[in-house]
Amino acid sequence: MGGGTSPPISDRKGRRFVYTLTQHEMFSDEIALQHNDGTAEMLAFSLRLSPETLKRFRGLQIRMIELQKECQTSPNDDTIKKVGECVCDLISLLFGQDNAERLISFYREDYNAMLTDLFPYIQNVLVPKLQAVAKDRKKMFKKNRNRRW
C-alpha cells in the first residue's frame, strides 16, 4: 500500500541502498452530484492512505457507534448534535473539508440522506482501501519485529 520501509533496492548504476522510505499511497476518485434539474457537478478528491488516516477513521467509527448506542438508550438534542458533528468529521476526513462543505450544501444539510447515499461508497470502496493499509502495516510490524537494531 505504501508508506513505511521496503527491502534494500538498487539505483540505475547498481548501487544498493540499505534503508528505503516510501511515500504513502494516495487514492483519488470522483463522484458525480446529480442535481434535480438534470445538471451534474463532479466532486474530485484524494485520500492519503496512511496509518494516521486509518487511526482517525477508526476513532470516528468508534465514536459513531458509541453515539448511536447513546441515541437508542436516551435520545436528546445534544446527542443528535454530536452525531451530526461526527458525520461531518467523517466526511471531511474522507473527502476533504471543501468537498464536505459541497456535499452538505448539495444535500441541503440533510445529513441522513447524505450518509445513506454515501455509506455504500464508503463501505465498498474507501473502507477496503483503509483496511489494506492496516493489513500492510501489520505485515511490516511482524517483519520488523525480528530485526535487530
Side-chain angles (χ1 to χ4, degrees), residues 2-3 6 28 31 39 45 50 55 68 76 86-87 99 101 114 123 131 133 136:
S6 61
S28 297
I31 297 174
T39 61
F45 69 96
S50 69
K55 182 180 176 181
Q68 287 173 335
N76 59 56
C86 188
V87 168
N99 287 336
E101 291 171 9
M114 180 174 66
Q123 195 63 31
Q131 287 172 336
V133 170
D136 288 350

Side-chain angles (χ1 to χ4, degrees), residues 89-149:
D89 291 346
L90 180 66
I91 300 301
S92 293
L93 173 67
L94 297 175
F95 299 98
Q97 183 62 40
D98 290 341
N99 287 336
E101 291 171 9
R102 288 175 63 194
L103 283 164
I104 291 166
S105 175
F106 176 78
Y107 281 98
R108 297 185 180 105
E109 297 187 22
D110 184 349
Y111 298 103
N112 288 329
M114 180 174 66
L115 199 55
T116 300
D117 289 350
L118 285 174
F119 185 77
Y121 178 79
I122 291 169
Q123 195 63 31
N124 298 324
V125 178
L126 299 180
V127 168
K129 297 282 185 189
L130 291 168
Q131 287 172 336
V133 170
K135 186 177 177 182
D136 288 350
R137 190 147 172 89
K138 249 183 178 174
K139 281 184 197 176
M140 183 185 73
F141 280 126
K142 275 185 179 181
K143 185 176 83 175
N144 290 337
R145 183 176 30 180
N146 296 328
R147 279 190 181 172
R148 294 218 159 150
W149 298 97

Side-chain angles (χ1 to χ4, degrees), residues 24-84:
H24 295 289
E25 184 177 335
M26 290 291 285
F27 172 75
S28 297
D29 205 359
E30 289 184 329
I31 297 174
L33 303 177
Q34 183 74 41
H35 295 276
N36 290 335
D37 64 4
T39 61
E41 66 178 290
M42 298 306 290
L43 186 98
F45 69 96
S46 294
L47 175 64
R48 182 172 303 282
L49 300 174
S50 69
E52 295 79 25
T53 304
L54 176 64
K55 182 180 176 181
R56 288 182 58 209
F57 176 75
R58 187 66 185 131
L60 288 168
Q61 272 187 319
I62 292 168
R63 184 171 162 218
M64 183 64 82
I65 291 167
E66 291 168 353
L67 288 169
Q68 287 173 335
K69 287 178 185 177
E70 194 176 321
C71 275
Q72 290 173 350
T73 57
S74 58
N76 59 56
D77 290 343
D78 187 50
T79 305
I80 292 169
K81 181 180 176 186
K82 288 178 184 176
V83 169

